Each structure stands twice: as structure tokens, then as C-alpha cells.
Amino acid sequence: MDQEALLRAAAEFLGRRPNATQDEIAEAAGVSRATLHRHFAGRRALLDAVDALAVREMRQALDDVRLTEGPAADALRRLITASQPVSPFLALLYSQSQEYDSDEPGAAWAEIDEALMALFRRGQENGEFRTDLSPAWFSDALFSVVAGAAWSVKVGRAAARDYPAMITGLMLDGVLR
Amino acid sequence: MDQEALLRAAAEFLGRRPNATQDEIAEAAGVSRATLHRHFAGRRALLDAVDALAVREMRQALDDVRLTEGPAADALRRLITASQPVSPFLALLYSQSQEYDSDEPGAAWAEIDEALMALFRRGQENGEFRTDLSPAWFSDALFSVVAGAAWSVKVGRAAARDYPAMITGLMLDGVLR
DNA sequence: TTTACGTGAGACAAGTTTGTCTCACGTGAG
DNA sequence: CTCACGTGAGACAAACTTGTCTCACGTAAA
């Protein structure tokens, strides 16, 4: 198992069980605790690596989908689709970045949050999106819904292939017919 | 501090920090660890009590709002409003109920989940709600959005008084104008 | 074949958390 | 005033987790 795959497995498990012990994480990732330690020298290092992975992937997603191009709703759809690989651990990092003891991860997430809010603002300013709810809420809600969808997929309540449509449908149009 | 207030404070803190130690929980609740222990004899007992509190409050909310009466959308609005007191720790319990080691809490949550899905199905059958997304997803999404809103309120990104409108707006109508 | 490397298992020390208890104190009621 | 009660602080043992290391093994490449 290469380090990236190990890190991803650990991240996904931690996304579901923030309380997991190093033993449990290692087992879930299919390696021994010694091996986990060899790759990530301690829990702190592992958490930092998970955080860095999520930030990197979110930044990549933001770059790839070019949030500033085209209609805001289309950009949001692209982003939702691009978020799927990081979705199993996204909410873990984002919400805990507010509880984190280190300044740097928080700054990275703030930047990502700002990019999302800018997208929602753009949509509001050009008339695509409603203006009675705040961009900050939209950003938080998107993270929440992404996390919820990841969880649904993980526990088998939804199919992975439905991930984009589930979120897009709900975020853009809501449940009303 | 009476036991219920202590439990609620602990639950809210745990909702934000599932990893919190007993020391941290006690401090957040404004009591000593010894006192926390006197009320809840150990972490297991505390978690069980938090779970029972959330289940009780959700059941109360479901009873109060009478999900089977009136239009499904109105019932959903009533439920969203009624969920506010339990929102800070709802997602903690619901998502962890799937990871729980005890059968009973899972069963209680399954019952609550079923009531929610029944509401969404009712809405779909009578034409109020879209049918292309599943009631299971709607239920999961509601829990996620409720949790996200609670978090937004807690960290000051949204006002508590806006809680119902934030969720109702997003869940029912989405972000599109 | 040998060598290099990565690994798991197991051991052990250190660190942390938990469970539990005692003592002293403060508060409110009678 | 005394009594009853709840509490925090502190102590300590037990349990658990973490960090770290060594040894033996398996695998792949030369």
C-alpha cells in the first residue's frame, strides 16, 4: 500500500470515527500500527497529513471547476461533482478546523470558504441565487450536505453514482416539486 | 446546576467535539469532573444519557408537530422549527448511532428516521415533493443541514433566530431563485 | 542465490484518560 | 445555630492509548 492510499483510507475512517484510536485506524487501513507510525509519526502527524490532503484536494477541485466561469449554478454543479473524492472526510476537517489548535489549517479552510462564498455571492448578484439567505450559510450548508451524502453512500443508504445528483438536486432546487 | 442542564451542556459540547475528554466536558459544563461523574457514572453513562436526551427530544418534537397532519411541507417546516433545541447534538447522535455498540439506541434512531422518511414519502405521493431523490436521502440531508445550521449558529456565522428560515429555505426551495 | 526493503507482531515505556474516592468548604433550610 | 447536601480539588489506581523499537518474515530485484 502506498502512502497516499494509506492516508486516504485513514482519512475516510477518521471521517466516520473522529474518536478512532491509532490501532483502529491502522486496522481500517489494512496495516499494522507500526506501519502507520512509520508513515505518519504519531497521531498529530497523521491528522496534519489528513488535513493537508483535504485542503489540497479541495483546492484542486476549486481550480479544476473554475468557479468564476459561466453561470454560478453550473459552477456549483461542477464543484459538487468534483467534491466527491474528498467528501468522506471533508466535513471532519472543515468543522474541526474551527476547533483546531493550529492557525495554519484554519487559514487554508477560510480561504476555501471564501471562494465558496464568493461563488454564492456572484450567483446572488447576477440574479441566479436567492438573496434572503446568506452566502456563509450556503457555504456551511454545502459542506454539511456533502458530508451527509458521503455518509449516506458509505453506509449504503445511497449509491455512489447518485452523489452528484443528490446534492445538486437538494442544494439547487430543494425538496419541493 | 441541575442534572438536565448539565446534560444539555455536555451534549452540546460533545456535539462540537466528539473527542472531548471528561475533563474538557466537565469544564465546558461548568462543573468539576468529580461532579460530572457523580451525575453520570463514567463516559459510557454520559453518552447514553446524551443519546437518550436527543431521542426523547426528537420524539417529543415529532409528537408535537404531528407529521401526518396537513400539507407535508408545512409539517416539515414545523419539524425544522421544533428541532432547534436538539440541533447542537443531533447529528452527533444520529450519525454515531450507526457506529454505536449498543442495539437499542440504533433502533430508536431508526424509528425516528422512519417517521421522517414517511413524511417525505407522503409529500412525494401527494405531489408536493419531488420524486427523483429518495426519502432516505431527504432524511439524511435534513439531519446534516440541521447539524450544519446548529454549528453555524454556535460559531457565530448565523443568528439563532434565523435557524428555522435558513433550513426551511434551503431544504424546501434550494438556492436557486 | 543474496540483498534491500517494507511489513506485522510483540514488547515496553511513557503519557493520557478514566474511574473512584476523601476531605474540606459553601450554601440553604429548618 | 446545626444539619444536610452538593460541590471542587486533589489524589491515586487502573485502564487505555500512544510512541517507539526490535526481530523475524516475506517479497522483489539484481
Side-chain angles (χ1 to χ4, degrees), chain A residues 30-32 34-35 38-39:
Chain A
V31 297
S32 70
T35 299
R38 287 189 189 105
H39 287 274

Side-chain angles (χ1 to χ4, degrees), chain B residues 83-165:
Chain B
S83 71
Q84 189 161 8
V86 70
S87 62
F89 47 100
L90 185 59
L92 169 74
L93 280 308
Y94 178 66
S95 61
Q96 289 200 359
S97 70
Q98 308 287 351
E99 318 278 356
Y100 228 24
D101 295 334
S102 161
D103 289 337
E104 194 176 354
W109 288 106
E111 185 186 312
I112 290 166
D113 184 52
E114 183 53 46
L116 293 189
M117 288 197 289
L119 171 64
F120 288 116
R121 276 194 293 266
R122 177 159 79 89
Q124 288 179 333
E125 283 159 6
N126 72 18
E128 292 181 76
F129 294 162
R130 65 197 295 169
T131 55
D132 58 324
L133 301 177
S134 74
W137 164 234
F138 287 150
S139 174
D140 289 346
L142 179 61
F143 277 110
S144 298
V145 171
V146 161
W151 183 82
S152 277
V153 167
K154 185 70 182 181
V155 299
R157 285 169 65 97
R161 70 175 170 272
D162 292 337
Y163 173 94

Side-chain angles (χ1 to χ4, degrees), chain B residues 7-28:
Chain B
L7 180 58
R8 176 170 297 279
E12 292 183 3
F13 192 67
L14 272 164
R16 291 171 55 204
R17 294 195 182 183
N19 273 359
T21 63
Q22 298 293 95
D23 264 334
E24 287 169 339
I25 296 165
E27 185 175 354

